[in-house]
Amino acid sequence: MKNTILITISALFTLFIASCVKEIKPVAPVEPLPNVYQLAWQELEYYGFIHFNMNTFTNKEWGYGDEKPSQFNPTELDARQWARVAKEAGMKGLIITAKHHDGFALWPSAFTEHSVKNSPWKEGKGDLIREISDACKEYGLKFGIYLSPWDRNHPEYGKPEYVDYYRNQLRELLTNYGSIFEVWFDGANGGDGYYGGANEERRVEKRTYYDWPKTINLVRELQPQAVIFSDAGPDIRWIGNERGYAYDTTWSPIFRDRVYAGMPGFDKYAKGQENGTHWVPTESDVSIRPGWYYHPEQDDKVKTVAHLVDIYFNSVGKNSNFLLNLPVDTRGLVHENDVAQLTKLADYLKVMYETDFADSATLKATASREGYPPKLIHDNNKDTYWASPEEMNTAQIEVEWSSPQTVNTFMIQEYIPLGQRIKSFTFEVKTEQGWQLLETGGTIGNKRLIRFDTQTVSALRFSITDAKASPIISNLGVYKAPDLAPE
Ligand code: FUL
């Protein structure tokens, strides 16, 4: 009898303990989801493009393909300067135009004579891809390559033989220069050109001519971590303009098998598709000058810091990555005017991100899922998050201070490893006059940045007004960006 009582008591006690330590249920993902390489890439946020090749010396944007290797002759080329400038600018990597549409190769390719090996630079002994990949390693930058599929120099462009040649070049680049983080396949394709002296127009069927699946397999085999950019992914996609601007609504999902840049009516799909089948996040490419290549007459046309800041907010701050092009000059250096603007952008961002006013705030949410409280939004851990209760697709998050703060920027991130969910939001601040609505917007995705006129506020309110599924937030920040001096 005594034993039975004891057993019953201990069983009840165990049950009591078990009911106290409830298992935290995982949040179900909303497909499509990013893979680990896409996630790592998204975290880079800001990196550089280098357009430097034959066009630099002919003062063109698109060379015809009849240029002579002897024309490639930088006088002070220093790839370490490019890497240093990029690093100091806060960029996380560099992508170089190893070959542009004119076909000239910046490395001594074994498959063509149309390369640096026949140029006066370093008496034909130079290898620019080696120099820039080494410089990137030295400065802790990722390294990526752009290899133009269109080749206006090659005699066999338009025939199957050229596609083998293209893959051979790609293999050289993906084998001999260490780890590659991004491979850039340009969509500009086919037209008139030199083509080994034929001087004619050659059109190709963009979707089939290159047999992309085979080329993509080659990249996967040689550099599995590299993300591939092309008109329609497969891994990342073009934002749809060359101004560097993503959209108020920018979905990473898209119907990848049906939608691609260059298709009729692509404009209406450039912002992605809420119910898209594949995760193909966007990259916003833009040049710091009007041209992609260096033109001395554009030395005074380098974008102002206000313009660059605006692009940053409209790319990184709208669920996109920012790929900023630097047209290296005929000396082989990033021009001092460009360096000056890059430095101002870097200083601006440094000052802005230096103090996160959310550190001293209290975070509240209208409702939270068990095990996912709002404090997990701001805990210096990108892998923990707040989640709203299941089936609840709206929510309000409040950031509150015990004494008012003077701020002008708000940052928020969805936990994208579990899919992109939020469709729309409003953003309010509480001042002495009470709550004021400052912004009504669309998606969040990896990151949303909201700028507003500097205000002294006691609280901020971010309201998720619609979502595909219960929202998950992994991070937020509140900053005071510096004023921009007029230029
Ligand atoms: C375009 C090219 O035609 C431009 O010359 C430049 O390389 C830009 C990044 O992509 O499609």
Side-chain angles (χ1 to χ4, degrees), residues 253-278:
I254 200 160
F255 285 94
R256 190 179 68 186
D257 300 337
R258 280 191 258 146
V259 172
Y260 54 94
M263 71 184 271
F266 172 71
D267 276 5
K268 64 175 186 289
Y269 303 115
K271 61 182 175 28
Q273 291 159 303
E274 180 186 328
N275 296 313
T277 44
H278 291 82

Side-chain angles (χ1 to χ4, degrees), residues 49 51 61-62 100-101 146 184 186-188 242 285 292-293:
F49 222 166
H51 273 65
E61 280 292 307
W62 282 12
H100 204 248
H101 309 327
Y146 165 114
W184 224 88
D186 198 321
E242 290 185 340
D285 61 330
W292 291 100
Y293 279 95

